[in-house]
Amino acid sequence: MAATRVAECLVNGVPTSAVSARDRGLAYGDGLFETILVRGGKPTLAEWHFQRLALGVQALRLPVDLAVIRSEVEQQALLLGDGLFKLIITRGESLRGYAMPQQPQVTRILQSSPLPSYPAQHAEQGIRLYPCATRLGDQPMLAGLKHLNRLEQVLARSEWQDSVHAEGLVCNLAGDPIEGTMSNLFMRLDDRWVTPALDRCGVRGVMRGFLIEQLAAQGDAVEERSISFDELLRSTEVFCCNSVFGVWPVVALADWQWPVGVHTRDIQTLAKQVLM
């Protein structure tokens, strides 16, 4: 008997890549997504991904069965082995207009892809951040959510095309550092870790959440608060993180430079343990 292969795309559990042109995810970005690294047939950081998804569906009032979604992800992960899943949840189809349908039929999409290939030097030697001009607008009702409206990130990422910069720094309207285009930021200030508060904009990454929890358990609690650009510049260590590449030390932003510090190396070890 031939081995069962993972479907490249499932829509509501059916192997297909076709989605209705009336889907609200396409029309309005009305939905959420998670990018999940799969290793050895298991979704990594699964608890953190599904916790964030649960908060998102509650905030957007999406009637989904999270147990069904999790079961599908876990079953498909066994078939995938190693790779990436992009899980997309939309409010489904509706007629013209912004009003939510009274009884939405949610669309569930699960796309698989091979593992991405990042240069080893990003983790070993650190990366340069590009200073993005694109700003994140304030919207406390959506802050932290991994919703489908990613145009700010698309515009920010379009600002550089060179291979010198691996990530970009994105600030809020006041010019305070918030995150990268695809990652969260941590800074070492006054011998403690701080990370920008994400109560008005930005995405609460699952690696960010994992590291905050692990560091607190080790007695090195992370302070979440507004951070000025000047504080970023006077920090002694900086790194960015996400749930796919783990932790990259930041060594430069324009004319400013930082070393790859011992505290960042310790955190890289934490991240590797959960992603490998």
Side-chain angles (χ1 to χ4, degrees), residues 163-220:
S163 59
V164 174
H165 301 88
E167 176 60 305
L169 172 67
V170 188
C171 298
N172 61 14
L173 296 176
D176 300 326
I178 298 295
E179 60 188 8
T181 63
M182 61 174 179
S183 63
N184 290 117
L185 289 172
F186 284 70
M187 289 144 255
R188 193 77 181 173
L189 270 170
D190 302 321
D191 203 30
R192 67 179 303 177
W193 287 113
V194 296
T195 190
L198 303 176
D199 54 344
R200 302 193 65 82
C201 59
V203 176
R204 290 188 178 91
V206 297
M207 178 57 75
R208 175 184 183 271
F210 169 78
L211 292 177
I212 289 173
E213 184 174 308
Q214 294 298 307
L215 287 167
Q218 295 179 6
D220 191 12

Short mmCIF file of all heavy atoms in Angstrom, two decimals, residues 163-220:
data_model
loop_
_atom_site.label_atom_id
_atom_site.label_comp_id
_atom_site.label_asym_id
_atom_site.label_seq_id
_atom_site.Cartn_x
_atom_site.Cartn_y
_atom_site.Cartn_z
N SER A 163 20.43 41.96 0.34
CA SER A 163 20.67 40.82 1.22
C SER A 163 21.44 41.23 2.48
O SER A 163 21.75 40.38 3.32
CB SER A 163 21.46 39.74 0.47
OG SER A 163 22.70 40.26 0.01
N VAL A 164 21.74 42.52 2.60
CA VAL A 164 22.48 43.01 3.76
C VAL A 164 21.59 43.00 5.00
O VAL A 164 22.05 42.73 6.11
CB VAL A 164 23.02 44.43 3.50
CG1 VAL A 164 23.67 45.01 4.75
CG2 VAL A 164 23.99 44.42 2.34
N HIS A 165 20.31 43.29 4.82
CA HIS A 165 19.36 43.36 5.93
C HIS A 165 18.47 42.12 5.92
O HIS A 165 17.83 41.81 4.91
CB HIS A 165 18.50 44.62 5.83
CG HIS A 165 19.29 45.89 5.84
ND1 HIS A 165 19.79 46.46 4.69
CD2 HIS A 165 19.69 46.68 6.86
CE1 HIS A 165 20.44 47.56 4.99
NE2 HIS A 165 20.40 47.72 6.31
N ALA A 166 18.42 41.44 7.06
CA ALA A 166 17.59 40.24 7.17
C ALA A 166 16.20 40.53 7.73
O ALA A 166 15.30 39.70 7.62
CB ALA A 166 18.29 39.20 8.05
N GLU A 167 16.03 41.68 8.33
CA GLU A 167 14.76 42.04 8.97
C GLU A 167 14.69 43.56 9.06
O GLU A 167 15.72 44.25 8.93
CB GLU A 167 14.68 41.38 10.34
CG GLU A 167 13.47 41.72 11.21
CD GLU A 167 12.12 41.37 10.63
OE1 GLU A 167 11.86 41.83 9.50
OE2 GLU A 167 11.30 40.71 11.31
N GLY A 168 13.48 44.08 9.27
CA GLY A 168 13.30 45.52 9.38
C GLY A 168 12.70 45.90 10.72
O GLY A 168 11.89 45.15 11.28
N LEU A 169 13.10 47.06 11.22
CA LEU A 169 12.51 47.60 12.45
C LEU A 169 11.28 48.41 12.09
O LEU A 169 11.35 49.31 11.25
CB LEU A 169 13.52 48.48 13.18
CG LEU A 169 12.97 49.26 14.38
CD1 LEU A 169 12.59 48.31 15.51
CD2 LEU A 169 13.97 50.30 14.87
N VAL A 170 10.17 48.12 12.74
CA VAL A 170 8.92 48.85 12.50
C VAL A 170 8.51 49.54 13.79
O VAL A 170 8.48 48.92 14.86
CB VAL A 170 7.79 47.91 12.02
CG1 VAL A 170 6.57 48.73 11.59
CG2 VAL A 170 8.26 47.05 10.86
N CYS A 171 8.21 50.84 13.69
CA CYS A 171 7.84 51.65 14.86
C CYS A 171 6.36 52.02 14.81
O CYS A 171 5.69 51.86 13.79
CB CYS A 171 8.69 52.92 14.90
SG CYS A 171 10.47 52.63 15.05
N ASN A 172 5.86 52.55 15.93
CA ASN A 172 4.49 53.06 15.94
C ASN A 172 4.47 54.50 15.43
O ASN A 172 5.49 55.04 14.99
CB ASN A 172 3.89 52.94 17.34
CG ASN A 172 4.64 53.75 18.38
OD1 ASN A 172 5.47 54.61 18.06
ND2 ASN A 172 4.36 53.49 19.66
N LEU A 173 3.31 55.14 15.50
CA LEU A 173 3.17 56.49 14.95
C LEU A 173 4.03 57.52 15.70
O LEU A 173 4.39 58.54 15.14
CB LEU A 173 1.70 56.91 14.99
CG LEU A 173 0.75 56.09 14.11
CD1 LEU A 173 -0.69 56.53 14.32
CD2 LEU A 173 1.13 56.19 12.64
N ALA A 174 4.37 57.21 16.95
CA ALA A 174 5.20 58.11 17.74
C ALA A 174 6.68 57.89 17.50
O ALA A 174 7.52 58.62 18.03
CB ALA A 174 4.89 57.94 19.22
N GLY A 175 7.03 56.86 16.70
CA GLY A 175 8.43 56.57 16.43
C GLY A 175 9.08 55.64 17.44
O GLY A 175 10.30 55.49 17.43
N ASP A 176 8.28 55.01 18.30
CA ASP A 176 8.82 54.06 19.27
C ASP A 176 8.93 52.67 18.63
O ASP A 176 8.02 52.24 17.90
CB ASP A 176 7.91 53.96 20.50
CG ASP A 176 7.75 55.28 21.21
OD1 ASP A 176 8.73 56.05 21.24
OD2 ASP A 176 6.65 55.54 21.74
N PRO A 177 10.00 51.94 18.87
CA PRO A 177 10.16 50.60 18.29
C PRO A 177 9.09 49.64 18.81
O PRO A 177 8.81 49.62 20.01
CB PRO A 177 11.56 50.17 18.73
CG PRO A 177 11.87 51.02 19.93
CD PRO A 177 11.16 52.31 19.72
N ILE A 178 8.52 48.86 17.89
CA ILE A 178 7.47 47.91 18.25
C ILE A 178 7.88 46.48 17.95
O ILE A 178 7.82 45.60 18.80
CB ILE A 178 6.15 48.23 17.54
CG1 ILE A 178 5.63 49.61 17.95
CG2 ILE A 178 5.09 47.16 17.84
CD1 ILE A 178 5.24 49.73 19.41
N GLU A 179 8.33 46.23 16.71
CA GLU A 179 8.62 44.85 16.30
C GLU A 179 9.38 44.86 14.98
O GLU A 179 9.69 45.93 14.42
CB GLU A 179 7.31 44.07 16.13
CG GLU A 179 6.36 44.66 15.09
CD GLU A 179 4.99 43.99 15.10
OE1 GLU A 179 4.71 43.18 15.99
OE2 GLU A 179 4.20 44.30 14.19
N GLY A 180 9.67 43.67 14.46
CA GLY A 180 10.18 43.53 13.11
C GLY A 180 9.03 43.28 12.17
O GLY A 180 7.87 43.18 12.58
N THR A 181 9.32 43.17 10.88
CA THR A 181 8.25 42.90 9.92
C THR A 181 7.67 41.51 10.11
O THR A 181 6.52 41.26 9.78
CB THR A 181 8.75 43.04 8.47
OG1 THR A 181 9.76 42.05 8.22
CG2 THR A 181 9.32 44.43 8.21
N MET A 182 8.49 40.58 10.66
CA MET A 182 8.03 39.20 10.86
C MET A 182 8.47 38.65 12.22
O MET A 182 8.49 37.43 12.41
CB MET A 182 8.58 38.29 9.75
CG MET A 182 10.09 38.22 9.69
SD MET A 182 10.66 36.99 8.48
CE MET A 182 12.45 37.19 8.63
N SER A 183 8.82 39.53 13.13
CA SER A 183 9.39 39.06 14.39
C SER A 183 9.11 40.05 15.51
O SER A 183 8.69 41.18 15.28
CB SER A 183 10.90 38.87 14.24
OG SER A 183 11.53 40.11 13.94
N ASN A 184 9.38 39.61 16.74
CA ASN A 184 9.29 40.48 17.91
C ASN A 184 10.69 40.85 18.38
O ASN A 184 11.67 40.18 18.07
CB ASN A 184 8.54 39.78 19.05
CG ASN A 184 7.06 39.63 18.76
OD1 ASN A 184 6.55 38.52 18.67
ND2 ASN A 184 6.36 40.75 18.62
N LEU A 185 10.76 41.94 19.14
CA LEU A 185 12.04 42.48 19.60
C LEU A 185 12.19 42.36 21.11
O LEU A 185 11.22 42.57 21.86
CB LEU A 185 12.15 43.96 19.24
CG LEU A 185 12.35 44.33 17.77
CD1 LEU A 185 12.23 45.84 17.61
CD2 LEU A 185 13.70 43.84 17.26
N PHE A 186 13.41 42.04 21.55
CA PHE A 186 13.79 42.07 22.96
C PHE A 186 15.06 42.90 23.08
O PHE A 186 15.92 42.85 22.21
CB PHE A 186 14.06 40.67 23.49
CG PHE A 186 12.83 39.84 23.75
CD1 PHE A 186 12.06 39.36 22.71
CD2 PHE A 186 12.46 39.52 25.05
CE1 PHE A 186 10.94 38.58 22.94
CE2 PHE A 186 11.34 38.74 25.30
CZ PHE A 186 10.57 38.27 24.24
N MET A 187 15.17 43.65 24.17
CA MET A 187 16.34 44.48 24.42
C MET A 187 16.83 44.28 25.84
O MET A 187 16.02 44.11 26.76
CB MET A 187 16.01 45.97 24.20
CG MET A 187 15.80 46.38 22.77
SD MET A 187 14.50 47.63 22.61
CE MET A 187 13.14 46.67 21.96
N ARG A 188 18.13 44.30 26.03
CA ARG A 188 18.72 44.21 27.37
C ARG A 188 19.01 45.62 27.85
O ARG A 188 19.88 46.32 27.30
CB ARG A 188 20.02 43.38 27.32
CG ARG A 188 20.53 42.96 28.69
CD ARG A 188 19.74 41.82 29.26
NE ARG A 188 20.22 41.42 30.58
CZ ARG A 188 19.61 40.53 31.35
NH1 ARG A 188 18.50 39.92 30.92
NH2 ARG A 188 20.09 40.22 32.53
N LEU A 189 18.27 46.06 28.86
CA LEU A 189 18.40 47.41 29.41
C LEU A 189 18.58 47.32 30.91
O LEU A 189 17.77 46.67 31.59
CB LEU A 189 17.15 48.24 29.09
CG LEU A 189 17.11 49.05 27.80
CD1 LEU A 189 15.71 49.59 27.58
CD2 LEU A 189 18.11 50.19 27.85
N ASP A 190 19.63 47.97 31.42
CA ASP A 190 19.87 48.00 32.87
C ASP A 190 19.85 46.58 33.46
O ASP A 190 19.23 46.32 34.51
CB ASP A 190 18.83 48.88 33.57
CG ASP A 190 18.86 50.31 33.03
OD1 ASP A 190 19.98 50.81 32.76
OD2 ASP A 190 17.78 50.91 32.87
N ASP A 191 20.49 45.66 32.73
CA ASP A 191 20.67 44.27 33.15
C ASP A 191 19.36 43.51 33.30
O ASP A 191 19.24 42.61 34.15
CB ASP A 191 21.47 44.20 34.46
CG ASP A 191 22.16 42.84 34.62
OD1 ASP A 191 22.50 42.22 33.59
OD2 ASP A 191 22.33 42.39 35.76
N ARG A 192 18.38 43.85 32.48
CA ARG A 192 17.14 43.06 32.44
C ARG A 192 16.55 43.14 31.04
O ARG A 192 16.84 44.06 30.28
CB ARG A 192 16.13 43.54 33.47
CG ARG A 192 15.55 44.92 33.22
CD ARG A 192 14.54 45.29 34.29
NE ARG A 192 13.46 44.32 34.37
CZ ARG A 192 12.48 44.38 35.28
NH1 ARG A 192 12.47 45.36 36.18
NH2 ARG A 192 11.53 43.48 35.29
N TRP A 193 15.74 42.13 30.70
CA TRP A 193 15.12 42.11 29.39
C TRP A 193 13.84 42.95 29.38
O TRP A 193 13.05 42.90 30.32
CB TRP A 193 14.77 40.68 28.97
CG TRP A 193 15.94 39.85 28.60
CD1 TRP A 193 16.43 38.76 29.26
CD2 TRP A 193 16.80 40.04 27.46
NE1 TRP A 193 17.54 38.27 28.61
CE2 TRP A 193 17.78 39.02 27.51
CE3 TRP A 193 16.83 40.97 26.42
CZ2 TRP A 193 18.78 38.91 26.54
CZ3 TRP A 193 17.83 40.86 25.45
CH2 TRP A 193 18.79 39.84 25.52
N VAL A 194 13.66 43.70 28.32
CA VAL A 194 12.42 44.43 28.08
C VAL A 194 11.97 44.13 26.66
O VAL A 194 12.78 43.84 25.78
CB VAL A 194 12.58 45.96 28.27
CG1 VAL A 194 12.93 46.28 29.71
CG2 VAL A 194 13.62 46.52 27.32
N THR A 195 10.67 44.18 26.44
CA THR A 195 10.11 43.99 25.11
C THR A 195 8.95 44.96 24.94
O THR A 195 8.25 45.26 25.92
CB THR A 195 9.65 42.53 24.90
OG1 THR A 195 9.33 42.31 23.52
CG2 THR A 195 8.43 42.19 25.73
N PRO A 196 8.76 45.52 23.76
CA PRO A 196 7.70 46.53 23.59
C PRO A 196 6.32 46.00 23.94
O PRO A 196 5.96 44.87 23.58
CB PRO A 196 7.80 46.88 22.10
CG PRO A 196 9.23 46.60 21.73
CD PRO A 196 9.59 45.39 22.54
N ALA A 197 5.54 46.82 24.65
CA ALA A 197 4.14 46.49 24.92
C ALA A 197 3.38 46.49 23.60
O ALA A 197 3.62 47.32 22.73
CB ALA A 197 3.55 47.51 25.89
N LEU A 198 2.45 45.55 23.47
CA LEU A 198 1.70 45.40 22.22
C LEU A 198 0.21 45.59 22.47
O LEU A 198 -0.62 44.84 21.97
CB LEU A 198 1.98 44.01 21.61
CG LEU A 198 3.47 43.71 21.34
CD1 LEU A 198 3.63 42.29 20.83
CD2 LEU A 198 4.05 44.72 20.36
N ASP A 199 -0.12 46.61 23.25
CA ASP A 199 -1.51 46.86 23.59
C ASP A 199 -2.20 47.83 22.63
O ASP A 199 -3.41 48.02 22.69
CB ASP A 199 -1.63 47.40 25.02
CG ASP A 199 -0.76 48.63 25.26
OD1 ASP A 199 0.16 48.91 24.44
OD2 ASP A 199 -1.00 49.34 26.25
N ARG A 200 -1.43 48.43 21.71
CA ARG A 200 -2.02 49.35 20.75
C ARG A 200 -1.76 48.95 19.29
O ARG A 200 -2.47 49.35 18.39
CB ARG A 200 -1.52 50.78 20.99
CG ARG A 200 -1.80 51.30 22.39
CD ARG A 200 -1.57 52.79 22.50
NE ARG A 200 -2.52 53.54 21.68
CZ ARG A 200 -3.77 53.83 22.06
NH1 ARG A 200 -4.22 53.42 23.24
NH2 ARG A 200 -4.56 54.52 21.26
N CYS A 201 -0.73 48.18 19.07
CA CYS A 201 -0.40 47.69 17.73
C CYS A 201 0.61 46.56 17.87
O CYS A 201 1.12 46.30 18.97
CB CYS A 201 0.15 48.81 16.84
SG CYS A 201 1.64 49.62 17.46
N GLY A 202 0.91 45.91 16.76
CA GLY A 202 1.88 44.82 16.79
C GLY A 202 1.23 43.46 16.98
O GLY A 202 0.03 43.34 17.23
N VAL A 203 2.05 42.41 16.84
CA VAL A 203 1.58 41.03 16.93
C VAL A 203 2.27 40.35 18.12
O VAL A 203 3.49 40.43 18.26
CB VAL A 203 1.90 40.25 15.64
CG1 VAL A 203 1.49 38.78 15.79
CG2 VAL A 203 1.21 40.88 14.44
N ARG A 204 1.49 39.68 18.95
CA ARG A 204 2.06 38.91 20.06
C ARG A 204 2.52 37.55 19.53
O ARG A 204 1.76 36.59 19.46
CB ARG A 204 1.03 38.72 21.17
CG ARG A 204 0.71 40.01 21.92
CD ARG A 204 -0.16 39.75 23.15
NE ARG A 204 -0.43 40.99 23.87
CZ ARG A 204 -1.48 41.77 23.65
NH1 ARG A 204 -2.37 41.42 22.74
NH2 ARG A 204 -1.65 42.88 24.33
N GLY A 205 3.79 37.50 19.15
CA GLY A 205 4.34 36.27 18.60
C GLY A 205 4.37 35.15 19.63
O GLY A 205 4.53 35.40 20.83
N VAL A 206 4.22 33.90 19.15
CA VAL A 206 4.22 32.78 20.08
C VAL A 206 5.61 32.52 20.65
O VAL A 206 5.73 32.10 21.81
CB VAL A 206 3.64 31.51 19.44
CG1 VAL A 206 2.19 31.71 19.05
CG2 VAL A 206 4.44 31.07 18.23
N MET A 207 6.68 32.76 19.89
CA MET A 207 8.02 32.64 20.45
C MET A 207 8.23 33.70 21.53
O MET A 207 8.84 33.42 22.58
CB MET A 207 9.08 32.76 19.36
CG MET A 207 10.52 32.68 19.88
SD MET A 207 10.89 31.16 20.82
CE MET A 207 11.01 29.98 19.48
N ARG A 208 7.73 34.90 21.29
CA ARG A 208 7.79 35.95 22.31
C ARG A 208 7.12 35.47 23.59
O ARG A 208 7.68 35.60 24.69
CB ARG A 208 7.10 37.21 21.79
CG ARG A 208 6.97 38.37 22.78
CD ARG A 208 6.18 39.50 22.14
NE ARG A 208 6.06 40.68 22.97
CZ ARG A 208 5.10 40.90 23.87
NH1 ARG A 208 4.16 39.98 24.06
NH2 ARG A 208 5.07 42.02 24.56
N GLY A 209 5.93 34.92 23.48
CA GLY A 209 5.21 34.44 24.65
C GLY A 209 5.94 33.31 25.35
O GLY A 209 6.00 33.25 26.59
N PHE A 210 6.49 32.39 24.57
CA PHE A 210 7.24 31.26 25.14
C PHE A 210 8.45 31.77 25.92
O PHE A 210 8.70 31.32 27.05
CB PHE A 210 7.69 30.32 24.02
CG PHE A 210 8.69 29.29 24.46
CD1 PHE A 210 8.28 28.16 25.15
CD2 PHE A 210 10.04 29.44 24.17
CE1 PHE A 210 9.20 27.20 25.56
CE2 PHE A 210 10.97 28.49 24.57
CZ PHE A 210 10.55 27.37 25.27
N LEU A 211 9.21 32.69 25.33
CA LEU A 211 10.41 33.19 26.00
C LEU A 211 10.07 33.97 27.26
O LEU A 211 10.76 33.85 28.28
CB LEU A 211 11.22 34.06 25.04
CG LEU A 211 11.87 33.31 23.86
CD1 LEU A 211 12.58 34.30 22.95
CD2 LEU A 211 12.83 32.24 24.35
N ILE A 212 9.02 34.79 27.22
CA ILE A 212 8.61 35.53 28.42
C ILE A 212 8.29 34.56 29.55
O ILE A 212 8.71 34.75 30.70
CB ILE A 212 7.40 36.43 28.10
CG1 ILE A 212 7.83 37.62 27.22
CG2 ILE A 212 6.75 36.94 29.39
CD1 ILE A 212 6.68 38.46 26.73
N GLU A 213 7.58 33.49 29.22
CA GLU A 213 7.21 32.50 30.23
C GLU A 213 8.43 31.76 30.78
O GLU A 213 8.58 31.58 31.99
CB GLU A 213 6.22 31.50 29.63
CG GLU A 213 5.69 30.48 30.61
CD GLU A 213 4.62 29.61 30.00
OE1 GLU A 213 3.65 30.18 29.44
OE2 GLU A 213 4.74 28.38 30.07
N GLN A 214 9.32 31.35 29.89
CA GLN A 214 10.50 30.60 30.32
C GLN A 214 11.45 31.46 31.14
O GLN A 214 12.01 31.01 32.15
CB GLN A 214 11.24 30.05 29.09
CG GLN A 214 10.46 29.00 28.31
CD GLN A 214 10.16 27.77 29.14
OE1 GLN A 214 11.06 27.17 29.72
NE2 GLN A 214 8.90 27.40 29.21
N LEU A 215 11.66 32.70 30.73
CA LEU A 215 12.56 33.59 31.47
C LEU A 215 12.00 33.91 32.85
O LEU A 215 12.75 34.00 33.83
CB LEU A 215 12.80 34.86 30.66
CG LEU A 215 13.71 34.68 29.44
CD1 LEU A 215 13.65 35.91 28.53
CD2 LEU A 215 15.15 34.42 29.87
N ALA A 216 10.69 34.10 32.94
CA ALA A 216 10.08 34.35 34.25
C ALA A 216 10.30 33.16 35.18
O ALA A 216 10.58 33.34 36.37
CB ALA A 216 8.59 34.63 34.08
N ALA A 217 10.19 31.94 34.64
CA ALA A 217 10.39 30.74 35.45
C ALA A 217 11.83 30.63 35.94
O ALA A 217 12.10 30.01 36.98
CB ALA A 217 10.02 29.50 34.64
N GLN A 218 12.76 31.24 35.20
CA GLN A 218 14.17 31.22 35.58
C GLN A 218 14.56 32.41 36.47
O GLN A 218 15.72 32.57 36.82
CB GLN A 218 15.04 31.23 34.32
CG GLN A 218 14.90 29.99 33.46
CD GLN A 218 15.78 30.04 32.22
OE1 GLN A 218 16.58 30.95 32.05
NE2 GLN A 218 15.62 29.06 31.35
N GLY A 219 13.58 33.25 36.81
CA GLY A 219 13.86 34.39 37.67
C GLY A 219 14.41 35.60 36.93
O GLY A 219 14.96 36.51 37.55
N ASP A 220 14.25 35.62 35.60
CA ASP A 220 14.72 36.76 34.79
C ASP A 220 13.52 37.35 34.05
O ASP A 220 13.43 37.31 32.82
CB ASP A 220 15.80 36.28 33.80
CG ASP A 220 16.52 37.44 33.11
OD1 ASP A 220 16.36 38.59 33.56
OD2 ASP A 220 17.25 37.19 32.14
#
